Amino acid sequence: MDSPIPTGTAQAWAALGADPSLLDRVAYGGPSGGLPARLPVMELARATVAVCSLAAGELASVRTGRPVPRVRVDDEAVATAFLSDRLVRVDGQAWSTFAPLSRFWRAADGWVRTHANYPHHQARLLAALGVPEDASEDAVDAVAGAIAGRTALEVEETVYAAGGLAVAARGPEEWATSEQGNLVARQPLLTMARVGDAPDRVFADAALPCAGLRVLDLTRVLAGPVATRTLALLGADVLRIDAPQLPESQEAHNDTGMGKRSTTLDLDDSTGRRVFEELLDEADVVVTGYRPGALDRFGLTPEALAGRRPGLVIAQLSAWGRYGPWHERRGFDSLVQVATGIAELEGSPDSPGTLPAQALDHGTGYLLAAGVLHALTEQHRTGGTRLVRLALTQTAHWLIHDLTPAPGKDDGFDAGRRLTETDSPMGRLRHALPAVSYEGGPVNWARPPGLWGTDAPVWVGA
């Protein structure tokens, strides 16, 4: 039985600046119970997938000249998609989404969470704590001992100063009264802006809303790749670019690389930079997910991009926001949960807790894709170079303070019904089916992920 449109969908759709009358084209249904939590995680998941699906349908209407198609958001499909990184398998083999040193630790006065999934982050964490890198077998005990003798804030500051990642656990009130938390609370869920003039975008008739569009994907880990994976589902030619010196997990790419191609380019090398510039000259969308300022020296500020290529859609994602004392910090979903009070709210008196999925990453990814899709629709109407910005902390604030649980109950959720298998270069791949859908839209990606970093740095058909 369908339920009415919940408040979260209306809030997210309003943040896009989209036509509120289109909300009546969305209906909900399907078995629930896949994302149990104290906070309204399922409502966040429903809302973000709903607005992304509706934005896709809105752009599809532009491409076909037909009315905006109806959207049905299925709770089972949504919950399975939010767990996609944990459900992916290759030849039946699972992978661990967190390394042994990515976890909670007891400090002298509270709790700390570290992130050390990448080798360079682990090396910096160990160096900051004075733990030898060759102590790999005993590293967990050594790190536990080093953290236990310090305050949580001391660990946070010491590790961040060394380029690593560690965050002291805070309650929601402590975060709200901090300088960074206070600034986050003043921000909207997302921002959409016109940052330059350009002619109206002219679309050819096409079955898929993003057909013929070229997307440069400069994102890593989860939120940004979820967004660009969604654009690939909808027909875009998405080319992910990574620096060859930065390691990436093939296992993570098995989940987020669906429908995309992946290459490596060294932008500090003259040849790599020339190839990148040629790709940029023909791009329609540029999505970045590195910490603010990290890519500025390559001419990737919104102002430089708008001047160089009028008519681009520029989408930027960060962990902590592009403002305040934390704006240059690296961050991940798990760390944002700890800083903003989510870990306390989901925990117990004895230990912090976590959300049932990396919901800040997934939800922000769908919002980012929705922003790009709506920006393309607006370009068709009034032209311009468009900028979309989101932050994991802003999504966290929305989850904690603005969302309320929609009526629902656990009525037979089964992720297995929303999984499928396909052959891939890595082996037999099991993955979640897309949650983003609309009447007449695609039901699966056109291609599985490939081996990370091995595709040619060219556009399809170039």
Side-chain angles (χ1 to χ4, degrees):
M1 179 177 179
D2 291 339
S3 58
I5 301 300
T7 305
T9 301
Q11 292 171 344
W13 191 244
L16 294 174
D19 180 1
S21 70
L22 294 177
L23 286 170
D24 64 8
R25 306 197 71 74
V26 183
Y28 283 82
S32 298
L35 298 173
R38 293 173 185 160
L39 288 166
V41 175
M42 192 64 215
E43 174 57 12
L44 178 147
R46 288 189 190 106
T48 56
V49 170
V51 297
C52 189
S53 300
L54 189 55
E58 182 187 39
L59 185 57
S61 174
V62 168
R63 300 299 298 264
T64 63
R66 294 192 287 270
V68 175
R70 294 193 175 278
V71 168
R72 179 177 171 82
V73 180
D74 184 278
D75 276 3
E76 189 170 70
V78 169
T80 303
F82 266 62
L83 295 166
S84 65
D85 50 303
R86 304 179 184 187
L87 295 172
V88 67
R89 301 284 187 274
V90 175
D91 293 332
Q93 298 297 307
W95 67 291
S96 175
T97 53
F98 289 103
L101 299 185
S102 296
R103 49 169 282 186
F104 287 106
W105 310 86
R106 275 196 180 274
D109 61 346
W111 291 88
V112 173
R113 178 139 193 176
T114 55
H115 196 286
N117 282 9
Y118 290 113
H120 56 297
H121 290 159
Q122 176 173 308
R124 293 167 187 171
L125 172 68
L126 295 175
L129 297 175
V131 176
E133 281 195 63
D134 58 6
S136 57
E137 292 185 5
D138 304 315
V140 171
D141 290 340
V143 169
I147 291 176
R150 311 184 195 198
T151 68
L153 282 177
E154 182 186 355
V155 174
E156 176 182 290
E157 292 166 0
T158 300
V159 173
Y160 262 107
L165 296 108
V167 172
R170 294 163 170 82
E173 296 82 8
E174 185 181 359
W175 172 252
T177 57
S178 71
E179 184 178 354
Q180 191 68 32
N182 183 268
L183 289 171
V184 169
R186 300 180 190 178
Q187 302 296 316
L189 175 59
L190 58 88
T191 58
M192 308 268 299
R194 182 182 178 123
V195 292
D197 293 329
D200 297 355
R201 183 180 287 274
V202 178
F203 286 108
D205 185 25
L208 293 176
C210 292
L213 296 175
R214 293 170 168 174
V215 178
L216 274 181
D217 178 4
L218 285 80
T219 69
R220 290 169 65 80
V221 192
L222 196 50
V226 164
T228 52
R229 178 182 71 183
T230 303
L231 299 177
L233 169 73
L234 299 170
D237 178 15
V238 178
L239 181 62
R240 174 170 165 169
I241 297 177
D242 286 274
Q245 65 270 24
L246 285 179
E248 186 52 287
S249 162
Q250 177 64 47
E251 289 79 8
H253 188 64
N254 292 342
D255 172 46
T256 60
M258 300 296 302
K260 299 189 280 190
R261 295 177 299 117
S262 165
T263 193
T264 60
L265 288 174
D266 185 352
L267 301 191
D268 285 314
D269 172 77
S270 59
T271 301
R273 184 64 179 273
R274 175 182 55 79
V275 173
F276 177 78
E277 300 285 351
E278 291 171 353
L279 292 167
L280 180 58
D281 282 341
E282 296 184 356
D284 299 287
V285 179
V286 175
V287 185
T288 66
Y290 290 74
R291 60 195 172 98
L295 301 176
D296 288 0
R297 62 196 177 97
F298 301 120
L300 293 172
T301 64
E303 297 77 14
L305 288 170
R308 171 181 179 150
R309 185 143 172 78
L312 266 180
V313 173
I314 306 155
Q316 296 183 322
L317 167 74
S318 62
W320 306 108
R322 308 181 75 84
Y323 44 79
W326 287 35
H327 77 279
E328 291 186 339
R329 287 194 177 192
R330 298 172 177 86
F332 296 92
D333 180 309
S334 59
L335 302 183
V336 174
Q337 288 187 40
V338 171
T340 59
I342 290 173
E344 178 179 293
L345 293 170
E346 292 291 336
S348 70
D350 298 325
S351 64
T354 62
L355 297 177
Q358 294 189 72
L360 304 180
D361 265 337
H362 284 276
T364 305
Y366 289 118
L367 288 174
L368 186 64
V372 170
L373 294 165
H374 186 64
L376 290 163
T377 296
E378 288 297 296
Q379 283 185 329
H380 173 71
R381 294 168 178 163
T382 59
T385 303
R386 306 285 173 152
L387 174 64
V388 184
R389 277 182 173 163
L390 294 96
L392 298 185
T393 47
Q394 290 162 204
T395 305
H397 182 86
W398 184 48
L399 173 65
I400 296 169
H401 297 284
D402 298 328
L403 289 175
T404 55
K409 61 180 180 179
D410 185 347
D411 55 2
F413 169 79
D414 179 3
R417 287 192 290 254
R418 301 295 174 174
L419 299 173
T420 191
E421 291 190 357
T422 187
D423 290 324
S424 76
M426 294 73 64
R428 189 69 176 170
L429 178 70
R430 188 189 82 172
H431 65 90
L433 287 164
V436 170
S437 65
Y438 57 88
E439 192 174 51
V443 298
N444 203 348
W445 287 272
R447 53 171 284 167
L451 295 171
W452 173 80
T454 59
D455 291 296
V458 296
W459 295 116
V460 169

